[in-house]
Amino acid sequence: LRAIEVAADNGIIMLADVWLDQQDTMDALHTLFAGFAHAAPPIAFIFIGDFASTPFVPGSGATAQYRDRLAALGQLIAGFPEIARTSQFVFVPGANDPWGPGALPKPHLADCFTAKLRARLTHATFATNPCRIKYCTHEIVVFREDLLKRIRRNCVLPPTEGTEIVRHLVRTVVDQGHLCPLPQRIRPVYWAHDHALRLYPIPDLLVLADRFDAYSVNYEGCHCVNPGSFSAGDFSFFMYYPVSRTSQYSKIPRK
């Protein structure tokens, strides 16, 4: 597995808040895919919700609109045959994506929304939130939650002066071994599935997708990144290299 990992270290791309209902987002994604059209395709693209700029509300044609936006993404990716054939595509829903109540973990996007997208992509996986990805010798955990704001609002011991707020968040999550160390009244969790939020053993890569500014932090052998908000920000994303266990921050210039 290690030999396979070294031979194909093309990187894993992570994007969060990919609002498919905005044309400038689709244009930015086209630019992103075009950049890899004549190079080695990435190992995987991890698309993290929300996938629309407004919360999903059932009725009034919302289901058809949501399905068509995902289908449009599939059509866009299919325009780059080598990427569509080679790369893996993972979709992790956000809080405003359908459906399920507000408790964690959040189920994957329903088949009725993803059928047209799956028809165009051979290697598409629709994961829960949070989810775990196993790549060769690497374990990757992806979690979409505005966690920094929640933890700062409910912390018992605030960080001391001079402490980096991002490092404080990562230490809190990793040291407690749980993705959401908050009371049930603050962030409900299905008791039967609480194990899905546990972080033991510590993963190699922890993706804490948040509306906060993008960052990358190394702590206790875990590389933790937040790709930031792709559509609401400056089209930023991270590319992670499993062999070197490093990540590279990038962004696509707005037109």
Side-chain angles (χ1 to χ4, degrees), residues 33-131:
F33 295 132
F36 291 101
H38 302 292
I43 298 166
F45 290 86
I46 302 177
F47 290 93
I48 308 168
D50 302 329
F51 295 116
S53 58
T54 57
F56 176 82
V57 179
S60 302
T63 299
Q65 291 176 1
Y66 196 93
R67 181 179 61 242
D68 291 344
R69 289 163 186 161
L70 288 174
L73 175 62
Q75 184 176 2
L76 174 62
I77 298 173
F80 301 91
E82 186 65 18
I83 294 176
R85 183 181 63 84
T86 307
S87 298
Q88 299 284 333
F89 297 88
V90 181
F91 296 86
V92 180
N96 292 327
D97 292 312
W99 11 52
L104 292 172
K106 185 178 177 66
H108 62 78
L109 294 174
D111 292 346
C112 62
F113 296 105
T114 63
K116 292 183 179 180
L117 177 56
R118 284 185 283 110
R120 289 186 175 273
L121 297 180
T122 306
H123 307 296
T125 301
F126 296 91
T128 59
N129 180 28
C131 72

Side-chain angles (χ1 to χ4, degrees), residues 181-194:
L182 292 168
Q184 284 281 334
R185 60 183 176 83
I186 302 298
R187 194 64 174 102
V189 175
Y190 292 114
W191 287 7
H193 302 289
D194 179 75

